[in-house]
Amino acid sequence: MKQRPQFRTIATVAFLSLFLAACSGTDTKEQEAAAAAAAEAQAAAEAQAAAEAAAAERARAEAAAELRRLEDAARMAGNVVYFEFDSSALTEAGRAILDKQVALLKKTGASVRLEGHTDERGTREYNIALGERRANAVRDYMMVNGIPGSRLESISYGEEKPVSYGSSEVSWSQNRRVEIK
Amino acid sequence: MKRSLRRWVLSCLFMLAMPVRAELVIEITQGIDNPTVIAVSPFAWQGVGLPPEDVAYIVENDLYRSGQFTPVARENMLGTPSRDEDIFFRDWRMVNAQYLLIGSITPGAELVADFALYDVLKQTLVIQGSERAPTSDARMLAHRIADRVYTALTGIPGAFATKLLYVAVTPVPGEKDYYELTLADSDGARPKVLLASREPILAPTWSPDTKEIAYVSFETSRPAIFRQNLTSGAREQLTAFRGLNGSPAWSPDGKRMAMVLSKDGSPDIYVLDLATYQLERITRHYAIDTEPTWMPDGKSLLFTSDRGGRPQIYRYDFVTGLTDRVTFEGSYNARARVAQDGRNVVLVHQQDGDYKIAVYDIETRRMTALTSTDLDESPSIAPNGSMVLYATKQAGRGILAAVSVDGGARFNLPARSGEVREPSWSPYLPKRP
């Protein structure tokens, strides 16, 4: 779009050159040569600009595609990591999920809340402490993998916010978790 | 920090109008063997119209709930005397009553209840007396009479004229749960919502003078400790540290508050001076230290720690600065509460995989399970040390339940609707002048 006025200028310059050449008759050849060189230089500059723009566009598209890919990967992995009973040790599966989340966080530079939860067994206040230990395990893993601690906040709800309300291992295993929000 | 510590928020006016959904219902499940049979004759009303409350019925239910008494049903009474000269002891022996309580209530600037307790077999007066209360507080009048009867017949001070705090939770499908911090009489009557929130409320506790409460609320999207005056409704946010802000516990002299903070890394016990807002760190350990509770003399604190690998009860001594382990039996002992005798400690104890309420005698080091259910938690002991109120689950629903410290008497306190948890039994209310 930008190039159109320039083409008009070139056309005007070329026309004027020809007109002047026809009128004067003496320096015609030199003027013709100069005009041709100018037109050539102009064309080359334009081609380069267009190429650069295309490259930038390509890079932008690639970055967007990369972000989309990271977002998709993070979404596929999920934003919840699960824990064993009375444990704050990250599992293999948990680390795999966090790797995807860390890759995305590195790209976006976003800050997140790490919400620690436990199952209903044991006392409420002890479980709040256990939930914080889980959230901190996730925080420490993310920090080791390059996310600054200033972008990570651990909050523990203990057993106060279950996602599954039953009193069996099926429910409990879903409730022992850290949500990355 | 100091400025935010001193930030007072008046926010309770709107709470007065809130409807109460989580009223408790009492279901007595077990009394002691050979309970004392007592007849409480309906109290005479000396005013016009109807009395504000059936005082005799409230007294009778208080005594029944203790598990130590069986009341004589009204339909079996052969007479309903309210004056000494109207008593025929033979009538009461025929219904196997061992004791008889009569009384009358006179209205005026205040309600005045005169009562007399008789030994039916000996045909003698045990105690007589009177109690006064504002007309709006007839229930408290009844609870105080029950306390005096209980004290006279068991030798143990009564604790019916006390209050309960608990958290009621109403699940809202597709939305966040609805939390209500509730205050009620010791029999669950007259519930009043002190704070309502869409975010968790937990760990409610009493100031020793019963004028204030403290609790943890997530209303700011992070846990914070608040104190609230029960008369004025004024609230103060005491803490807003990074990490945990939990387990508030007033010192017996009311001047300090123990709490759990994780601002310095792992959860540790701190003590906040409520006059100067100076914060003192009590424990320094990378393990979890939580759930502090004061010994009645204020010279030491019990708390839960997993520094030995599993949660156990430890004691910090303010005089020596030393910490020693208190419980050894079982793989999980947590959230201790101490009776006023400084000896009986009620706690959550894991046995055969189940979480039960147990009583641990600090002197004999004997652990006795009081409950046989699972998922029992948050034990709170009556100020007279006789009953333990706790939270458990019944058919998947959170309810309150009570058991006597000797395990002989039990009752459940489910809510009419929704779930209830985190009970906290008040200290004795101040004596009226």
Side-chain angles (χ1 to χ4, degrees), chain B residues 201-253:
Chain B
I201 301 169
L202 69 162
T205 191
W206 292 88
S207 70
D209 64 6
T210 69
K211 290 183 177 141
E212 286 185 90
I213 59 167
Y215 50 84
V216 175
S217 168
F218 279 72
E219 66 197 56
T220 62
S221 87
R222 292 172 180 82
I225 297 173
F226 290 81
R227 76 198 278 199
Q228 184 166 332
N229 185 296
L230 287 178
T231 314
S232 68
R235 295 173 80 206
E236 180 187 10
Q237 183 174 343
L238 285 173
T239 67
F241 293 107
R242 190 182 174 85
L244 300 190
N245 294 261
S247 285
W250 249 286
S251 61
D253 64 7

Short mmCIF file of all heavy atoms in Angstrom, two decimals, chain B residues 201-253:
data_model
loop_
_atom_site.label_atom_id
_atom_site.label_comp_id
_atom_site.label_asym_id
_atom_site.label_seq_id
_atom_site.Cartn_x
_atom_site.Cartn_y
_atom_site.Cartn_z
N ILE B 201 -13.56 -19.32 55.89
CA ILE B 201 -13.38 -18.78 57.24
C ILE B 201 -13.02 -19.98 58.11
O ILE B 201 -13.67 -21.01 58.01
CB ILE B 201 -14.69 -18.15 57.78
CG1 ILE B 201 -15.18 -17.03 56.86
CG2 ILE B 201 -14.49 -17.63 59.21
CD1 ILE B 201 -16.59 -16.55 57.18
N LEU B 202 -11.99 -19.85 58.92
CA LEU B 202 -11.67 -20.98 59.80
C LEU B 202 -10.98 -20.53 61.08
O LEU B 202 -10.69 -19.34 61.25
CB LEU B 202 -10.88 -22.06 59.08
CG LEU B 202 -9.46 -21.85 58.64
CD1 LEU B 202 -8.80 -23.19 58.38
CD2 LEU B 202 -9.39 -21.05 57.36
N ALA B 203 -10.77 -21.52 61.96
CA ALA B 203 -10.05 -21.32 63.22
C ALA B 203 -10.64 -20.24 64.12
O ALA B 203 -9.91 -19.46 64.70
CB ALA B 203 -8.58 -21.02 62.93
N PRO B 204 -11.99 -20.18 64.27
CA PRO B 204 -12.53 -19.18 65.20
C PRO B 204 -12.12 -19.50 66.64
O PRO B 204 -12.03 -20.67 67.00
CB PRO B 204 -14.05 -19.29 65.02
CG PRO B 204 -14.28 -20.67 64.52
CD PRO B 204 -13.06 -21.02 63.69
N THR B 205 -11.85 -18.48 67.41
CA THR B 205 -11.40 -18.69 68.79
C THR B 205 -11.83 -17.51 69.64
O THR B 205 -12.15 -16.45 69.13
CB THR B 205 -9.87 -18.90 68.82
OG1 THR B 205 -9.49 -19.35 70.11
CG2 THR B 205 -9.12 -17.63 68.49
N TRP B 206 -11.86 -17.72 70.96
CA TRP B 206 -12.37 -16.73 71.91
C TRP B 206 -11.26 -16.00 72.64
O TRP B 206 -10.23 -16.58 72.97
CB TRP B 206 -13.22 -17.44 72.98
CG TRP B 206 -14.50 -18.01 72.47
CD1 TRP B 206 -14.68 -19.24 71.93
CD2 TRP B 206 -15.77 -17.36 72.47
NE1 TRP B 206 -15.99 -19.40 71.58
CE2 TRP B 206 -16.69 -18.26 71.91
CE3 TRP B 206 -16.23 -16.11 72.89
CZ2 TRP B 206 -18.04 -17.95 71.75
CZ3 TRP B 206 -17.57 -15.79 72.74
CH2 TRP B 206 -18.46 -16.72 72.17
N SER B 207 -11.52 -14.74 72.97
CA SER B 207 -10.66 -14.05 73.93
C SER B 207 -11.06 -14.59 75.31
O SER B 207 -12.20 -15.01 75.50
CB SER B 207 -10.85 -12.54 73.87
OG SER B 207 -12.12 -12.18 74.37
N PRO B 208 -10.15 -14.60 76.28
CA PRO B 208 -10.48 -15.19 77.59
C PRO B 208 -11.65 -14.49 78.28
O PRO B 208 -12.37 -15.12 79.04
CB PRO B 208 -9.19 -15.01 78.41
CG PRO B 208 -8.13 -14.70 77.43
CD PRO B 208 -8.76 -14.15 76.20
N ASP B 209 -11.86 -13.18 77.98
CA ASP B 209 -12.98 -12.47 78.62
C ASP B 209 -14.28 -12.64 77.83
O ASP B 209 -15.29 -12.05 78.21
CB ASP B 209 -12.64 -10.99 78.83
CG ASP B 209 -12.44 -10.25 77.51
OD1 ASP B 209 -12.66 -10.84 76.44
OD2 ASP B 209 -12.05 -9.06 77.57
N THR B 210 -14.26 -13.42 76.76
CA THR B 210 -15.40 -13.73 75.89
C THR B 210 -15.99 -12.49 75.19
O THR B 210 -17.06 -12.57 74.61
CB THR B 210 -16.55 -14.46 76.63
OG1 THR B 210 -17.17 -13.55 77.55
CG2 THR B 210 -16.06 -15.68 77.38
N LYS B 211 -15.28 -11.37 75.23
CA LYS B 211 -15.81 -10.16 74.59
C LYS B 211 -15.41 -10.07 73.12
O LYS B 211 -16.00 -9.32 72.35
CB LYS B 211 -15.32 -8.91 75.33
CG LYS B 211 -15.96 -8.80 76.70
CD LYS B 211 -15.56 -7.54 77.42
CE LYS B 211 -16.31 -7.46 78.74
NZ LYS B 211 -15.47 -6.93 79.81
N GLU B 212 -14.36 -10.80 72.76
CA GLU B 212 -13.87 -10.74 71.38
C GLU B 212 -13.63 -12.14 70.84
O GLU B 212 -13.47 -13.10 71.59
CB GLU B 212 -12.53 -10.00 71.36
CG GLU B 212 -12.63 -8.52 71.55
CD GLU B 212 -11.26 -7.89 71.39
OE1 GLU B 212 -10.91 -7.53 70.26
OE2 GLU B 212 -10.54 -7.81 72.39
N ILE B 213 -13.58 -12.21 69.53
CA ILE B 213 -13.20 -13.47 68.88
C ILE B 213 -12.11 -13.16 67.86
O ILE B 213 -11.91 -12.00 67.49
CB ILE B 213 -14.39 -14.15 68.18
CG1 ILE B 213 -15.00 -13.23 67.13
CG2 ILE B 213 -15.45 -14.56 69.21
CD1 ILE B 213 -15.97 -13.91 66.20
N ALA B 214 -11.40 -14.19 67.44
CA ALA B 214 -10.42 -14.05 66.35
C ALA B 214 -10.64 -15.23 65.42
O ALA B 214 -11.18 -16.26 65.81
CB ALA B 214 -9.00 -14.06 66.90
N TYR B 215 -10.27 -15.04 64.17
CA TYR B 215 -10.44 -16.10 63.18
C TYR B 215 -9.57 -15.80 61.96
O TYR B 215 -9.00 -14.72 61.84
CB TYR B 215 -11.92 -16.22 62.76
CG TYR B 215 -12.56 -14.91 62.37
CD1 TYR B 215 -12.43 -14.42 61.08
CD2 TYR B 215 -13.27 -14.16 63.29
CE1 TYR B 215 -12.99 -13.20 60.73
CE2 TYR B 215 -13.84 -12.95 62.95
CZ TYR B 215 -13.70 -12.47 61.66
OH TYR B 215 -14.25 -11.26 61.32
N VAL B 216 -9.51 -16.79 61.07
CA VAL B 216 -8.79 -16.62 59.81
C VAL B 216 -9.83 -16.48 58.71
O VAL B 216 -10.77 -17.27 58.62
CB VAL B 216 -7.89 -17.85 59.53
CG1 VAL B 216 -7.24 -17.73 58.15
CG2 VAL B 216 -6.85 -18.00 60.61
N SER B 217 -9.69 -15.46 57.89
CA SER B 217 -10.59 -15.27 56.76
C SER B 217 -9.77 -15.08 55.49
O SER B 217 -8.74 -14.40 55.50
CB SER B 217 -11.48 -14.04 56.99
OG SER B 217 -12.15 -13.70 55.80
N PHE B 218 -10.24 -15.69 54.40
CA PHE B 218 -9.58 -15.56 53.10
C PHE B 218 -10.24 -14.46 52.26
O PHE B 218 -10.07 -14.44 51.04
CB PHE B 218 -9.65 -16.89 52.34
CG PHE B 218 -8.61 -17.90 52.76
CD1 PHE B 218 -8.71 -18.54 53.98
CD2 PHE B 218 -7.56 -18.23 51.93
CE1 PHE B 218 -7.76 -19.49 54.37
CE2 PHE B 218 -6.61 -19.18 52.29
CZ PHE B 218 -6.72 -19.82 53.52
N GLU B 219 -11.02 -13.58 52.89
CA GLU B 219 -11.80 -12.60 52.12
C GLU B 219 -10.95 -11.67 51.26
O GLU B 219 -11.44 -11.11 50.29
CB GLU B 219 -12.67 -11.78 53.08
CG GLU B 219 -11.86 -10.90 54.02
CD GLU B 219 -12.68 -10.42 55.23
OE1 GLU B 219 -13.22 -11.27 55.95
OE2 GLU B 219 -12.79 -9.21 55.41
N THR B 220 -9.67 -11.50 51.62
CA THR B 220 -8.79 -10.64 50.81
C THR B 220 -8.10 -11.43 49.70
O THR B 220 -7.19 -10.93 49.06
CB THR B 220 -7.69 -10.02 51.70
OG1 THR B 220 -6.90 -11.09 52.25
CG2 THR B 220 -8.27 -9.21 52.84
N SER B 221 -8.53 -12.68 49.49
CA SER B 221 -7.94 -13.65 48.55
C SER B 221 -6.66 -14.28 49.10
O SER B 221 -6.05 -15.11 48.45
CB SER B 221 -7.71 -13.08 47.15
OG SER B 221 -6.45 -12.45 47.07
N ARG B 222 -6.26 -13.85 50.30
CA ARG B 222 -5.14 -14.48 51.01
C ARG B 222 -5.57 -14.70 52.46
O ARG B 222 -6.44 -13.98 52.93
CB ARG B 222 -3.92 -13.56 50.97
CG ARG B 222 -3.33 -13.40 49.59
CD ARG B 222 -2.26 -12.34 49.54
NE ARG B 222 -1.74 -12.22 48.20
CZ ARG B 222 -2.33 -11.51 47.23
NH1 ARG B 222 -3.43 -10.84 47.49
NH2 ARG B 222 -1.84 -11.47 46.02
N PRO B 223 -4.95 -15.65 53.16
CA PRO B 223 -5.36 -15.83 54.56
C PRO B 223 -4.90 -14.66 55.42
O PRO B 223 -3.78 -14.17 55.25
CB PRO B 223 -4.65 -17.13 54.97
CG PRO B 223 -3.49 -17.23 54.05
CD PRO B 223 -3.91 -16.61 52.75
N ALA B 224 -5.76 -14.21 56.32
CA ALA B 224 -5.41 -13.12 57.23
C ALA B 224 -6.12 -13.36 58.55
O ALA B 224 -7.22 -13.91 58.57
CB ALA B 224 -5.81 -11.78 56.65
N ILE B 225 -5.49 -12.96 59.66
CA ILE B 225 -6.10 -13.10 60.98
C ILE B 225 -6.85 -11.81 61.33
O ILE B 225 -6.31 -10.71 61.17
CB ILE B 225 -5.03 -13.41 62.06
CG1 ILE B 225 -4.36 -14.75 61.75
CG2 ILE B 225 -5.66 -13.44 63.46
CD1 ILE B 225 -3.18 -15.07 62.64
N PHE B 226 -8.08 -11.97 61.74
CA PHE B 226 -8.90 -10.83 62.16
C PHE B 226 -9.30 -11.02 63.61
O PHE B 226 -9.42 -12.14 64.09
CB PHE B 226 -10.20 -10.78 61.34
CG PHE B 226 -10.00 -10.40 59.89
CD1 PHE B 226 -9.59 -11.36 58.97
CD2 PHE B 226 -10.23 -9.11 59.46
CE1 PHE B 226 -9.41 -11.02 57.64
CE2 PHE B 226 -10.06 -8.76 58.13
CZ PHE B 226 -9.65 -9.72 57.21
N ARG B 227 -9.53 -9.91 64.31
CA ARG B 227 -10.21 -9.98 65.61
C ARG B 227 -11.48 -9.17 65.48
O ARG B 227 -11.56 -8.24 64.68
CB ARG B 227 -9.31 -9.49 66.75
CG ARG B 227 -9.18 -7.96 66.81
CD ARG B 227 -7.99 -7.52 67.63
NE ARG B 227 -8.30 -7.51 69.05
CZ ARG B 227 -7.57 -6.82 69.94
NH1 ARG B 227 -6.53 -6.09 69.55
NH2 ARG B 227 -7.87 -6.86 71.21
N GLN B 228 -12.49 -9.54 66.24
CA GLN B 228 -13.79 -8.89 66.12
C GLN B 228 -14.42 -8.76 67.50
O GLN B 228 -14.48 -9.73 68.25
CB GLN B 228 -14.69 -9.72 65.18
CG GLN B 228 -16.04 -9.10 64.89
CD GLN B 228 -16.73 -9.79 63.70
OE1 GLN B 228 -16.07 -10.32 62.81
NE2 GLN B 228 -18.04 -9.78 63.69
N ASN B 229 -14.89 -7.56 67.80
CA ASN B 229 -15.55 -7.30 69.08
C ASN B 229 -17.01 -7.74 68.97
O ASN B 229 -17.71 -7.34 68.04
CB ASN B 229 -15.45 -5.81 69.41
CG ASN B 229 -16.01 -5.50 70.77
OD1 ASN B 229 -17.20 -5.68 71.01
ND2 ASN B 229 -15.16 -5.06 71.68
N LEU B 230 -17.46 -8.59 69.91
CA LEU B 230 -18.81 -9.15 69.80
C LEU B 230 -19.89 -8.13 70.12
O LEU B 230 -21.02 -8.26 69.67
CB LEU B 230 -18.95 -10.37 70.71
CG LEU B 230 -18.21 -11.62 70.24
CD1 LEU B 230 -18.39 -12.74 71.24
CD2 LEU B 230 -18.67 -12.06 68.86
N THR B 231 -19.56 -7.11 70.90
CA THR B 231 -20.57 -6.11 71.25
C THR B 231 -20.69 -5.05 70.16
O THR B 231 -21.78 -4.78 69.66
CB THR B 231 -20.20 -5.43 72.59
OG1 THR B 231 -19.84 -6.44 73.51
CG2 THR B 231 -21.37 -4.63 73.14
N SER B 232 -19.56 -4.46 69.76
CA SER B 232 -19.61 -3.36 68.79
C SER B 232 -19.57 -3.86 67.35
O SER B 232 -19.96 -3.14 66.44
CB SER B 232 -18.43 -2.42 69.02
OG SER B 232 -17.22 -3.08 68.68
N GLY B 233 -19.08 -5.07 67.14
CA GLY B 233 -18.93 -5.58 65.78
C GLY B 233 -17.67 -5.07 65.10
O GLY B 233 -17.41 -5.42 63.96
N ALA B 234 -16.88 -4.22 65.77
CA ALA B 234 -15.66 -3.67 65.16
C ALA B 234 -14.67 -4.79 64.85
O ALA B 234 -14.47 -5.69 65.65
CB ALA B 234 -15.01 -2.66 66.09
N ARG B 235 -14.07 -4.71 63.65
CA ARG B 235 -13.11 -5.73 63.24
C ARG B 235 -11.76 -5.08 63.02
O ARG B 235 -11.67 -3.94 62.59
CB ARG B 235 -13.51 -6.35 61.90
CG ARG B 235 -14.77 -7.12 61.89
CD ARG B 235 -15.07 -7.51 60.45
NE ARG B 235 -14.29 -8.67 60.04
CZ ARG B 235 -13.95 -8.93 58.77
NH1 ARG B 235 -14.28 -8.11 57.82
NH2 ARG B 235 -13.28 -10.02 58.48
N GLU B 236 -10.71 -5.87 63.27
CA GLU B 236 -9.36 -5.40 63.01
C GLU B 236 -8.61 -6.52 62.30
O GLU B 236 -8.61 -7.66 62.78
CB GLU B 236 -8.65 -5.06 64.32
CG GLU B 236 -7.24 -4.57 64.14
CD GLU B 236 -6.49 -4.39 65.46
OE1 GLU B 236 -7.01 -4.84 66.50
OE2 GLU B 236 -5.39 -3.84 65.44
N GLN B 237 -7.98 -6.19 61.18
CA GLN B 237 -7.14 -7.18 60.52
C GLN B 237 -5.78 -7.15 61.20
O GLN B 237 -5.09 -6.14 61.16
CB GLN B 237 -7.00 -6.87 59.02
CG GLN B 237 -6.20 -7.95 58.31
CD GLN B 237 -6.15 -7.77 56.81
OE1 GLN B 237 -6.96 -7.05 56.23
NE2 GLN B 237 -5.21 -8.43 56.17
N LEU B 238 -5.42 -8.26 61.85
CA LEU B 238 -4.19 -8.26 62.64
C LEU B 238 -2.96 -8.59 61.80
O LEU B 238 -1.87 -8.13 62.10
CB LEU B 238 -4.30 -9.28 63.79
CG LEU B 238 -5.17 -8.88 64.97
CD1 LEU B 238 -5.33 -10.05 65.92
CD2 LEU B 238 -4.58 -7.69 65.70
N THR B 239 -3.12 -9.42 60.80
CA THR B 239 -1.95 -9.82 60.02
C THR B 239 -2.27 -9.83 58.53
O THR B 239 -3.41 -10.06 58.13
CB THR B 239 -1.46 -11.24 60.37
OG1 THR B 239 -2.45 -12.18 59.96
CG2 THR B 239 -1.19 -11.39 61.86
N ALA B 240 -1.25 -9.55 57.73
CA ALA B 240 -1.35 -9.66 56.27
C ALA B 240 0.03 -9.99 55.75
O ALA B 240 0.55 -9.35 54.85
CB ALA B 240 -1.87 -8.36 55.67
N PHE B 241 0.65 -11.00 56.35
CA PHE B 241 1.99 -11.38 55.92
C PHE B 241 1.93 -12.28 54.69
O PHE B 241 0.91 -12.92 54.44
CB PHE B 241 2.72 -12.10 57.05
CG PHE B 241 3.03 -11.22 58.23
CD1 PHE B 241 2.33 -11.36 59.41
CD2 PHE B 241 4.02 -10.25 58.15
CE1 PHE B 241 2.61 -10.54 60.50
CE2 PHE B 241 4.30 -9.44 59.23
CZ PHE B 241 3.59 -9.58 60.40
N ARG B 242 3.02 -12.31 53.96
CA ARG B 242 3.13 -13.23 52.85
C ARG B 242 3.09 -14.66 53.41
O ARG B 242 3.70 -14.94 54.43
CB ARG B 242 4.47 -12.96 52.16
CG ARG B 242 4.66 -13.65 50.85
CD ARG B 242 6.06 -13.33 50.30
NE ARG B 242 6.29 -14.11 49.10
CZ ARG B 242 5.90 -13.74 47.90
NH1 ARG B 242 5.28 -12.57 47.74
NH2 ARG B 242 6.12 -14.50 46.84
N GLY B 243 2.35 -15.54 52.76
CA GLY B 243 2.29 -16.93 53.21
C GLY B 243 1.18 -17.17 54.22
O GLY B 243 0.17 -16.47 54.22
N LEU B 244 1.40 -18.14 55.10
CA LEU B 244 0.36 -18.51 56.06
C LEU B 244 0.13 -17.43 57.11
O LEU B 244 1.08 -16.80 57.58
CB LEU B 244 0.75 -19.79 56.82
CG LEU B 244 0.98 -21.07 56.04
CD1 LEU B 244 1.11 -22.23 57.02
CD2 LEU B 244 -0.14 -21.33 55.08
N ASN B 245 -1.13 -17.22 57.47
CA ASN B 245 -1.51 -16.40 58.62
C ASN B 245 -2.61 -17.21 59.29
O ASN B 245 -3.75 -17.17 58.84
CB ASN B 245 -2.08 -15.05 58.17
CG ASN B 245 -1.06 -14.16 57.47
OD1 ASN B 245 -0.49 -13.26 58.06
ND2 ASN B 245 -0.81 -14.42 56.19
N GLY B 246 -2.27 -17.98 60.32
CA GLY B 246 -3.29 -18.90 60.81
C GLY B 246 -3.24 -19.18 62.30
O GLY B 246 -2.39 -18.66 63.03
N SER B 247 -4.21 -20.03 62.74
CA SER B 247 -4.25 -20.57 64.11
C SER B 247 -4.13 -19.53 65.21
O SER B 247 -3.30 -19.67 66.10
CB SER B 247 -3.13 -21.60 64.30
OG SER B 247 -3.45 -22.78 63.65
N PRO B 248 -4.96 -18.48 65.21
CA PRO B 248 -4.85 -17.51 66.31
C PRO B 248 -5.25 -18.16 67.64
O PRO B 248 -6.17 -18.97 67.68
CB PRO B 248 -5.84 -16.42 65.92
CG PRO B 248 -6.84 -17.10 65.03
CD PRO B 248 -6.06 -18.16 64.28
N ALA B 249 -4.54 -17.82 68.71
CA ALA B 249 -4.85 -18.35 70.05
C ALA B 249 -4.49 -17.30 71.09
O ALA B 249 -3.32 -16.96 71.25
CB ALA B 249 -4.07 -19.65 70.31
N TRP B 250 -5.53 -16.77 71.78
CA TRP B 250 -5.32 -15.76 72.80
C TRP B 250 -4.60 -16.35 74.00
O TRP B 250 -4.93 -17.48 74.41
CB TRP B 250 -6.67 -15.23 73.28
CG TRP B 250 -6.96 -13.81 72.89
CD1 TRP B 250 -6.40 -12.70 73.44
CD2 TRP B 250 -7.90 -13.36 71.91
NE1 TRP B 250 -6.93 -11.58 72.84
CE2 TRP B 250 -7.86 -11.95 71.90
CE3 TRP B 250 -8.78 -13.99 71.02
CZ2 TRP B 250 -8.64 -11.16 71.07
CZ3 TRP B 250 -9.57 -13.22 70.19
CH2 TRP B 250 -9.49 -11.82 70.22
N SER B 251 -3.68 -15.60 74.58
CA SER B 251 -3.04 -16.05 75.82
C SER B 251 -4.07 -15.97 76.95
O SER B 251 -5.02 -15.20 76.86
CB SER B 251 -1.82 -15.18 76.13
OG SER B 251 -2.22 -13.84 76.32
N PRO B 252 -3.88 -16.76 78.02
CA PRO B 252 -4.87 -16.75 79.11
C PRO B 252 -5.08 -15.37 79.73
O PRO B 252 -6.17 -15.07 80.22
CB PRO B 252 -4.28 -17.73 80.13
CG PRO B 252 -3.42 -18.64 79.31
CD PRO B 252 -2.85 -17.79 78.21
N ASP B 253 -4.05 -14.50 79.70
CA ASP B 253 -4.24 -13.16 80.25
C ASP B 253 -4.83 -12.19 79.23
O ASP B 253 -5.06 -11.02 79.53
CB ASP B 253 -2.92 -12.61 80.82
CG ASP B 253 -1.86 -12.41 79.74
OD1 ASP B 253 -2.15 -12.58 78.54
OD2 ASP B 253 -0.70 -12.08 80.11
#
